[in-house]
Amino acid sequence: MLNQLNAAQREAVTYLDGPLLVLAGAGSGKTRVITQKIVHLVERCGYAPRNIAAITFTNKAASEMRERVGALLQGKDARGLMVSTFHSLGMNILRKEAALLGYKPQFSIFDSGDTWKIIGELANSGDKQEIRDIQTRISNWKSAFIAPQQAAQVTDNEEARVHARIYARYQETLRAYQAVDFDDLIRLPVVLFKEHPEALFRWQNRLHYLLIDEYQDTNDCQYQLTRLLAGSRAAFTAVGDDDQAIYAWRGASIENLHKLRNDYARLRVIKLEQNYRSSQRILKVANHLINHNTKVFEKRLWSDHGIGDPVRIYAARDDEHEAESVVMKLMAHKFEHRTRFSDYAILYRSNHLSRAFEEQLRAQHAPYTVSGGTSFFERAEIKDITAYLRLIANPDDDPAFIRAVTTPKRGIGNTTLEKLGSHAGARHVSLFEAAFEIGMEQQLPPRQHEDLMTFCNFINRLQERAGKDPCGELLDELLRAINYEAWLYDTHEPRQADSKWENVQEFTGWLKRKAEADEKSLIDMVQTIALINMLEGKDEEPDAVSLSTLHAAKGLEFPHVFIIGAEEDILPFRDSDEQQIEEERRLMYVGVTRAERSLQISYCNRRKRGKDWLACEPSRFLEEMPEGELVYAGGHKKAMPTISKNEGMDKLAKLKVMLVSSHD
């Protein structure tokens, strides 16, 4: 197997004499290095799979890696091998060690929707932007391993001081609910290991070798977690690329790559510079662009894929014209080269730029997918209904209990829930179970207690029938009993309520059909939903054009790429300071290096903002690309004569005729 690797990859796989940093350029085969190294550790070095952990950032990357390792180990037992995201590693640690931190093992994990509600109530605010700002600030404090008490000390203005107070109360509320949020899944294991050396010793003994992917995306907490787990043995391989660090806004710190050098005197650095994805021209443009950033590690991507097409730069009259001409070029190229729709990606800096392209693709009957958007299962109304189903299937699911008991509102507010949460925490039982205890009746006013019991008894009745009665019947009864449709129209604008109720009907309709076809009960169906939710994005990729933000496209590759909206104030984003400009440049670099064979970058001369037209300036990043590799109109930088709609239609018609005649 090692024979299939290039010299640098082979060295990265076999090096075991100390801590290793693999600087893996875009498309340089880093996943192959990580998977081959796991196999090497098991087959050649005698490591037991259960003593190895490979840590990555997304479920998709983790499941791909797991599949590849399984295939390479060919029938050998990979049981116990831990290939997981940082968050699921943290969750595993916490589930095993919960008691040391005063949590029950089945503590709940709150998503951003659950935490949004709590923060909104604590801040006593309905202002979405304000809640989002507080949420982000708390998340950044946690990522930087700053506790509420420290946050209060490091703040330098009144707003931050208010946020620090909310942070402290937010943590108390989570604690009372026996719940953690997404950031706690990393923060709490660090707290655990620092306060309980015996727990750290247990996990260091369990994990003898660590492989960490996308190291440039780690935040301070993740850095501390991996450092603690690696211990003095320092048996790890960190794989990263400083040129693709695009998540500073999420608390990621490129400094972590540099810290490795200071923290590990024996650190070995191996560079993977051979690119297996793109043509030489595309790489030349990428290298030239990224060289404008300050570098700690110099590297230069190269490829033996041939020179390839020149990179094309288009100037469109306006945003509508940009969408029209890009989609026309895409369709014409597809007919001419007989490619698949999935060979094309249209990438942009911000989600709102996709709309015009969606319209044009629909007009051409071209299938497309949009990533970086909201998935169906993430919609609030679907999560509301799912909360009831989760609770019926598992009364110990505290977030489901909280969501269901408060949506629609039924006289059970924060005070009742906090008392219930404290009681449940002290007794180490779920909120649902706590509601039935005598102690609870004594703590609540009669009216609140009655409302609570009405709700819990209703769930119990449904639960008794959920294993045997037809799924459709129960669902209809549930929606009627909680009066969900009326509540939607009471709390939302009519149009919004319409679309939400339509989604609920689509969801319940799908559940009924699937339950009937698979002969499954409501309880079985809840597990199906959970699996679909977890495995989303694992279905066969459809043959469709990918519309994606540059952030969401990281890690993907496409034969033909269009980067649109390459203008000042869009890419780079407006008001970026020097450090942010470097991150924006890395974002453009990520976009450029997604392309295998052809790359086209477009910008507009003017854009519509409300009723006004605003003049646009081409992105400074275009100036930073090597002119010899770019094609502008007539060989110089003037607006290109982009294809008009009629010319485009005409060209398409001719191509279709050519195709038909070539089949005859």
Side-chain angles (χ1 to χ4, degrees):
M1 267 185 311
L2 292 177
N3 300 339
Q4 296 162 10
L5 304 174
N6 66 38
Q9 288 174 330
R10 199 170 348 185
E11 190 186 354
V13 166
T14 53
Y15 183 80
L16 289 171
D17 294 339
L20 171 67
L21 170 61
V22 178
L23 281 173
S28 62
K30 72 183 172 70
T31 309
R32 179 185 242 196
V33 164
I34 295 171
T35 49
Q36 296 275 17
K37 186 150 196 168
I38 294 170
V39 174
H40 181 72
L41 288 167
V42 173
E43 292 194 333
R44 301 277 163 84
C45 310
Y47 277 78
R50 70 178 303 276
N51 296 139
I52 302 169
I55 310 166
T56 179
F57 271 81
T58 64
N59 288 326
K60 192 173 176 219
S63 54
E64 257 172 41
M65 215 176 272
R66 219 174 282 119
E67 276 166 31
R68 284 205 205 179
V69 171
L72 288 170
L73 282 172
Q74 288 168 344
K76 286 204 183 64
D77 198 356
R79 233 198 333 237
L81 172 71
M82 191 182 279
V83 182
S84 76
T85 62
F86 267 105
H87 292 94
S88 51
L89 170 66
M91 185 187 72
N92 284 329
I93 294 169
L94 290 178
R95 289 238 189 271
K96 296 260 191 335
E97 312 287 350
L100 288 176
L101 291 173
Y103 286 89
K104 55 182 187 182
Q106 74 275 30
F107 61 82
S108 301
I109 298 164
F110 279 10
D111 65 16
S112 65
D114 298 318
T115 63
W116 170 278
K117 273 188 170 170
I118 297 170
I119 289 170
E121 281 169 2
L122 291 174
N124 197 11
S125 167
D127 180 339
K128 286 184 178 174
Q129 192 53 51
E130 186 187 357
I131 299 172
R132 196 172 292 121
D133 290 345
I134 300 171
Q135 219 173 5
T136 304
R137 184 170 262 159
I138 291 175
S139 177
N140 287 341
W141 274 328
K142 288 188 176 189
S143 300
F145 202 68
I146 293 171
Q149 304 82 328
Q150 291 167 285
Q153 289 156 11
V154 298
T155 52
D156 53 3
N157 61 52
E158 188 48 38
E159 184 189 60
R161 275 190 282 279
V162 171
H163 291 185
R165 282 198 292 276
I166 292 171
Y167 176 20
R169 288 174 56 211
Y170 168 72
Q171 282 306 99
E172 286 160 17
T173 309
L174 285 186
R175 194 73 193 215
Y177 290 161
Q178 282 285 300
V180 302
D181 65 16
F182 215 50
D183 296 306
D184 285 332
L185 291 174
I186 313 290
R187 188 184 66 87
L188 287 172
V190 176
V191 171
L192 171 85
F193 290 155
K194 287 186 168 181
E195 291 178 0
H196 299 276
E198 73 282 15
L200 176 59
F201 182 70
R202 265 196 297 279
W203 283 88
Q204 285 176 341
N205 253 356
R206 159 81 204 275
L207 303 176
H208 297 174
Y209 202 93
L210 299 176
L211 300 106
I212 306 121
D213 192 13
E214 305 285 11
Y215 206 77
Q216 76 284 349
D217 293 340
T218 53
N219 59 37
D220 195 51
C221 243
Q222 287 159 330
Y223 185 81
Q224 291 197 47
L225 179 61
T226 48
R227 191 149 186 240
L228 285 161
L229 283 171
S232 55
R233 198 190 288 132
F236 69 81
T237 296
V239 182
D241 181 6
D242 47 343
D243 292 335
Q244 293 187 74
I246 56 173
Y247 289 113
W249 52 279
R250 245 178 20 195
S253 171
I254 195 170
E255 288 304 309
N256 289 348
L257 283 172
H258 313 159
K259 264 195 216 166
L260 282 175
R261 271 198 164 156
N262 304 331
D263 289 347
Y264 298 97
R266 291 174 48 234
L267 182 75
R268 177 70 182 275
V269 179
I270 296 172
K271 297 176 187 179
L272 303 184
E273 296 172 298
Q274 182 174 359
N275 171 289
Y276 291 94
R277 177 187 298 159
S278 308
S279 69
Q280 292 170 18
R281 243 186 196 127
I282 288 168
L283 291 183
K284 198 166 173 189
V285 167
N287 285 330
H288 216 275
L289 171 72
I290 204 66
N291 275 346
H292 287 77
N293 271 6
T294 45
K295 297 287 198 108
V296 173
F297 302 102
E298 282 298 332
K299 70 176 180 318
R300 203 163 177 75
L301 293 184
W302 61 277
S303 136
D304 47 21
H305 269 348
I307 291 184
D309 300 340
V311 172
R312 297 180 176 277
I313 309 287
Y314 287 95
R317 266 194 318 275
D318 52 46
D319 26 3
E320 198 177 315
H321 181 223
E322 181 184 36
E324 207 174 88
S325 57
V326 163
V327 170
M328 282 301 168
K329 287 191 191 81
L330 187 155
M331 298 298 285
H333 188 278
K334 183 184 182 301
F335 277 110
E336 209 166 331
H337 298 275
R338 302 184 186 190
T339 48
R340 292 163 55 80
F341 282 112
S342 55
D343 291 339
Y344 299 87
I346 298 173
L347 309 180
Y348 36 81
R349 175 65 177 83
S350 303
N351 268 315
H352 72 270
L353 294 169
S354 75
R355 256 174 270 158
F357 292 84
E358 289 188 58
E359 281 166 24
Q360 290 296 333
L361 287 163
R362 277 201 298 269
Q364 292 298 325
H365 306 294
Y368 65 88
T369 58
V370 182
S371 61
T374 313
S375 89
F376 186 70
F377 288 96
E378 284 298 307
R379 293 171 198 271
E381 59 275 20
I382 304 303
K383 288 173 81 168
D384 288 344
I385 305 307
T386 309
Y388 281 90
L389 305 182
R390 276 166 45 189
L391 188 59
I392 291 164
N394 170 21
D396 285 339
D397 187 334
D398 287 357
F401 177 90
I402 291 163
R403 190 166 191 129
V405 82
T406 54
T407 316
K409 290 255 183 283
R410 50 169 62 77
I412 298 165
N414 236 20
T415 320
T416 307
L417 283 177
E418 274 178 24
K419 283 182 180 165
L420 189 61
S422 302
H423 185 78
R427 301 269 299 110
H428 298 294
V429 295
S430 70
L431 297 172
F432 190 82
E433 202 177 321
F436 289 96
E437 296 200 341
I438 295 168
M440 213 53 243
E441 190 175 352
Q442 294 158 353
Q443 288 184 47
L444 292 176
R447 176 70 204 281
Q448 270 72 37
H449 186 256
E450 193 187 329
D451 286 341
L452 185 61
M453 293 324 295
T454 305
F455 172 77
C456 293
N457 289 325
F458 163 65
I459 295 294
N460 268 339
R461 281 198 305 280
L462 284 176
Q463 194 182 15
E464 279 161 25
R465 299 169 47 200
K468 44 189 190 300
D469 286 15
C471 181
E473 208 175 284
L474 278 170
L475 277 169
D476 291 339
E477 199 174 311
L478 170 68
L479 289 173
R480 263 199 313 279
I482 65 174
N483 220 351
Y484 192 75
E485 184 181 6
W487 176 78
L488 278 178
Y489 283 93
D490 286 345
T491 50
H492 296 85
E493 302 284 313
R495 274 181 57 195
Q496 213 184 355
D498 280 343
S499 102
K500 283 177 177 288
W501 182 241
E502 222 169 274
N503 286 337
V504 169
Q505 287 177 302
E506 187 186 327
F507 175 59
T508 52
W510 170 80
L511 272 176
K512 290 174 195 174
R513 286 192 303 277
K514 197 151 174 53
E516 210 171 319
D518 302 350
E519 295 181 355
K520 284 188 166 175
S521 70
L522 186 65
I523 298 276
D524 299 328
M525 286 311 296
V526 176
Q527 281 146 356
T528 308
I529 299 165
L531 273 179
I532 287 174
N533 220 344
M534 281 156 55
L535 302 176
E536 230 187 356
K538 276 214 66 191
D539 308 338
E540 275 305 294
E541 293 297 311
D543 182 24
V545 176
S546 282
L547 289 178
S548 172
T549 59
L550 288 159
H551 282 103
K554 185 163 167 274
L556 305 177
E557 53 190 43
F558 305 91
H560 309 288
V561 170
F562 295 86
I563 297 175
I564 58 118
E567 294 144 37
E568 289 294 308
D569 289 348
I570 292 181
L571 181 63
F573 206 60
R574 66 176 163 277
D575 305 329
S576 298
D577 61 26
E578 211 170 309
Q579 212 174 355
Q580 289 162 330
I581 288 287
E582 294 216 335
E583 175 138 341
E584 294 289 307
R585 190 177 284 113
R586 292 195 287 270
L587 199 50
M588 175 66 110
Y589 173 83
V590 163
V592 169
T593 53
R594 297 313 92 202
E596 294 170 0
R597 292 204 284 285
S598 79
L599 171 65
Q600 304 192 31
I601 305 174
S602 59
Y603 64 91
C604 297
N605 287 321
R606 59 178 197 163
R607 253 177 212 285
K608 194 115 188 217
R609 290 270 161 80
K611 289 189 175 131
D612 303 325
W613 285 101
L614 296 181
C616 303
E617 212 182 308
S619 168
R620 69 190 75 183
F621 301 146
L622 299 179
E623 290 286 323
E624 296 171 355
M625 294 175 180
E627 215 164 305
E629 308 305 325
L630 309 178
V631 169
Y632 290 87
H636 59 87
K637 302 181 189 183
K638 274 283 172 261
M640 294 205 73
T642 33
I643 305 178
S644 76
K645 192 165 192 174
N646 293 343
E647 288 168 332
M649 290 300 217
D650 198 38
K651 187 170 183 190
L652 264 179
K654 282 179 185 155
L655 282 165
K656 284 179 180 171
V657 170
M658 267 168 50
L659 271 177
V660 171
S661 58
S662 70
H663 282 306
D664 292 345

